[in-house]
Amino acid sequence: MAPARHGGPPDGGWGWMIVAGCFLVTICTRAVTRCISIFFVEFQAYFGQDYARTAWIHSIVDCATMLCAPLGSLISNHVSCQVGIMLGGLLASTGLILSSFATSLEHLYLSLGVLTGLGFALCYSPAIAMVGKYFNKRKALAYGIAMSGSGIGTFILAPVVQLLIEQFSWRGALLILGGFVLNLCVCGALMRPISLKEDCKTASEFLEQKYVPETEKQDLKQMSLCSPLIKLWPHECLCYCSWKEYDFLLMPSFMVLAVSILFMAYGCSPLFVYLVPYALSVGVSHHQAAFLMSILGVIDIIGNVTFGWLTDRRCLKKHRYFCYLFAVGMDGLCCLFLPVLQSFPLLVPFSFTFGYFDGAYVTLIPVMTADVVGTSLLSSALGVVYFLHAIPYLVSPPVAGWLVDTTGSYTASFLLCGFSMIFSSALLCFARLAKKIKRTHLRSLAGNTALKQHIWTNGTIAYSVTAELDQRDVEVLAVDTNSYSNR
């Protein structure tokens, strides 16, 4: 399908269908990944393994999803977003179906972990990037609606998956989820490509390069710069294109964001794995534990939409950065208090609070990324951002499981998660303060430099480097010049 051409993001129209498609993608990827934690107790009992080894299943799914996110961006940029998402849907569905026949944890590592995670990776970041291309003024609201699919999906799927496990065992539940995830192919069909003026401007830079022959420059000028140029560009041009897609990696603001995301990802992942097992360990029933995940999911929706709407308001739009770090910090505090909440009535407020702020900062991740790198590089940047989630997602659940096995309680695991998220928030805060102090210092230096006047004469005319002399200096200089002339 040829891309529709627009001078800027249309902020509506087919963009709402893109939002609907991304909404379904987040249900089929992130919500399904969260619901894998409901299988945790079943896997542990069936295969007779400890917490750490069983936790690797969820870790590998999350890690593969984020580790392969740049691959999803690459396919989206150079082939088609539609093709990438449809292919991802087929892979994810195949992985879930094969998992229903698993005979060992290693089998689940490969099928449910690697294959399903790879399929989710090909769908997630390209779908999110498409929303950023269709919206500008209402970007945060559009992302809030699109990302709320994770919360709505968790709210609906958590009790449904628990019911499926009771009725059909964990094998039947995985088989049904495999069929459900095939809806990703429908989502891919909705992703109509779009060409923006910013993308065309980026492409036009290639015409200025010396390695592009004059004959090919003429051909390029006669066609749309936003259409695929693979067959016409030489190898060097393609290499330059690939590098330009990732030159944001050297931006200091992106580096700080990347480091903070590493700590944030480490802190948020174990809770979705261990909330249900922790609730069961303090005497909560299976249905109540699944209901906690449902509460977390539905409040996640409210956080997605309301925080997206609020940060689109004029009073908060300039302060999205601080809204993001506040949300991450609040989730960290929730994790610190979790070990003292040992009954269902106490765990319900926790699910409300953690779910709201989780939805809040998840909504702002692509918005902040777009603010840092721009819309034209958003797909590549999101691929890198979600790639950075991979190692923490892989390591943190097994580390938390090892701490549970070693200490006999969840306290150390949850405290480590909380401090990690608080550090992520504090790092962004200190970076912004340092940037503000540096900017103030540079302004003061510029002001002092402007006060230094370098004046000289050739006997009759006075010159000023800055041309900012006040009236008194001009009068004094005129008297001195006249005195010199009389001599």
Side-chain angles (χ1 to χ4, degrees):
M1 180 184 293
R5 297 182 183 179
H6 293 272
D11 274 296
W14 190 259
W16 294 115
M17 294 302 297
I18 300 297
V19 170
C22 186
F23 175 85
L24 291 173
V25 167
T26 55
I27 289 178
C28 294
T29 56
R30 303 311 300 157
V32 170
T33 300
R34 288 181 178 182
C35 289
I36 290 175
S37 64
I38 298 175
F39 291 91
F40 186 93
V41 177
E42 301 294 328
F43 291 152
Q44 190 180 29
Y46 186 87
F47 295 107
Q49 300 295 334
D50 57 18
Y51 277 82
R53 289 199 64 190
T54 309
W56 277 105
I57 300 171
H58 193 283
S59 296
I60 295 173
V61 175
D62 265 336
C63 178
T65 301
M66 301 307 174
L67 190 67
C68 300
L71 178 61
S73 298
L74 186 67
I75 294 175
S76 175
N77 291 339
H78 296 289
V79 182
S80 168
C81 180
Q82 295 169 317
V83 171
I85 294 177
M86 289 181 179
L87 177 60
L90 291 173
L91 290 175
S93 177
T94 302
L96 285 165
I97 292 171
L98 291 177
S99 299
S100 67
F101 300 98
T103 56
S104 65
L105 281 183
E106 288 74 15
H107 187 159
L108 289 173
Y109 293 162
L110 292 176
S111 57
L112 185 57
V114 177
L115 191 57
T116 301
L118 175 61
F120 288 164
L122 298 184
C123 302
Y124 192 55
S125 58
I128 294 174
M130 285 295 291
V131 176
K133 287 183 175 293
Y134 271 85
F135 287 88
N136 183 25
K137 294 180 181 179
R138 291 179 284 185
K139 182 181 292 184
L141 176 61
Y143 271 125
I145 296 172
M147 305 293 281
S148 67
S150 176
I152 292 177
T154 305
F155 174 71
I156 297 173
L157 288 179
V160 170
V161 167
Q162 182 64 44
L163 183 62
L164 290 175
I165 292 174
E166 293 174 358
Q167 295 293 323
F168 305 105
S169 79
W170 62 267
R171 295 185 185 275
L174 285 175
L175 189 63
I176 294 171
L177 281 179
F180 173 74
V181 165
L182 275 175
N183 285 293
L184 286 169
C185 297
V186 179
C187 302
L190 295 174
M191 299 297 168
R192 180 188 296 173
I194 183 174
S195 295
L196 301 176
K197 186 177 181 180
E198 184 177 354
D199 299 328
C200 296
K201 183 178 179 181
T202 302
S204 65
E205 295 176 359
F206 296 119
L207 295 177
E208 306 300 327
Q209 304 304 316
K210 294 181 180 179
Y211 51 70
V212 180
E214 289 297 329
T215 56
E216 292 190 7
K217 285 185 179 181
Q218 296 300 323
D219 293 335
L220 294 176
K221 290 178 181 179
Q222 293 174 3
M223 63 184 296
S224 170
L225 291 175
C226 295
S227 61
L229 303 179
I230 302 297
K231 296 181 180 179
L232 294 177
W233 286 352
H235 176 71
E236 293 83 357
C237 188
L238 289 177
C239 292
Y240 180 78
C241 172
S242 299
W243 165 244
K244 289 295 289 182
E245 289 178 2
Y246 292 95
D247 60 358
F248 60 84
L249 292 172
L250 300 179
M251 297 171 60
S253 55
F254 184 82
M255 291 181 181
V256 173
L257 178 64
V259 173
S260 72
I261 282 174
L262 289 174
F263 287 94
M264 180 274 293
Y266 182 91
C268 72
S269 181
L271 185 123
F272 292 101
V273 180
Y274 293 108
L275 178 60
V276 171
Y278 171 72
L280 295 175
S281 71
V282 296
V284 176
S285 69
H286 284 78
H287 284 285
Q288 287 178 329
F291 186 64
L292 288 174
M293 288 294 292
S294 296
I295 293 174
L296 192 150
V298 74
I299 300 302
D300 193 289
I301 305 163
I302 299 174
N304 286 142
V305 178
T306 58
F307 229 68
W309 181 82
L310 287 172
T311 52
D312 268 340
R313 301 305 95 195
R314 184 174 298 177
C315 58
L316 289 178
K317 198 166 188 176
K318 296 180 180 179
H319 304 291
R320 287 171 175 169
Y321 189 93
F322 292 102
C323 291
Y324 170 81
L325 65 90
F326 173 74
V328 174
M330 287 300 296
D331 263 1
L333 288 175
C334 289
C335 290
L336 294 183
F337 283 104
L338 183 56
V340 300
L341 309 177
Q342 299 187 1
S343 66
F344 182 72
L346 293 177
L347 288 171
V348 169
F350 166 82
S351 294
F352 272 90
T353 308
F354 186 90
Y356 181 82
F357 288 108
D358 178 74
Y361 77 74
V362 166
T363 296
L364 292 182
I365 287 176
V367 177
M368 287 185 59
T369 305
D371 291 342
V372 172
V373 305
T375 303
S376 62
L377 299 175
L378 180 59
S379 180
S380 300
L382 280 177
V384 174
V385 165
Y386 292 125
F387 171 83
L388 293 171
H389 286 67
I391 302 302
Y393 277 7
L394 178 67
V395 173
S396 58
V399 169
W402 176 79
L403 289 173
V404 173
D405 292 331
T406 303
T407 63
S409 73
Y410 291 85
T411 302
S413 300
F414 291 145
L415 290 179
L416 185 59
C417 293
F419 284 123
S420 180
M421 297 189 79
I422 291 173
F423 179 78
S424 172
S425 178
L427 178 64
L428 289 176
C429 184
F430 290 141
R432 178 53 63 95
L433 290 176
K435 186 176 180 180
K436 187 174 182 179
I437 292 171
K438 181 180 179 180
R439 187 180 301 166
T440 304
H441 180 63
L442 290 176
R443 286 177 179 175
S444 64
L445 288 178
N448 294 333
T449 303
L451 295 176
K452 296 179 181 179
Q453 309 294 336
H454 300 279
I455 307 166
W456 68 93
T457 71
N458 63 359
T460 57
I461 304 175
Y463 296 90
S464 170
V465 172
T466 61
E468 295 180 357
L469 295 173
D470 59 24
Q471 187 63 31
R472 182 178 298 177
D473 291 334
V474 172
E475 293 175 356
V476 172
L477 182 62
V479 171
D480 292 341
T481 303
N482 291 335
S483 300
Y484 181 82
S485 300
N486 292 334
R487 294 177 185 175

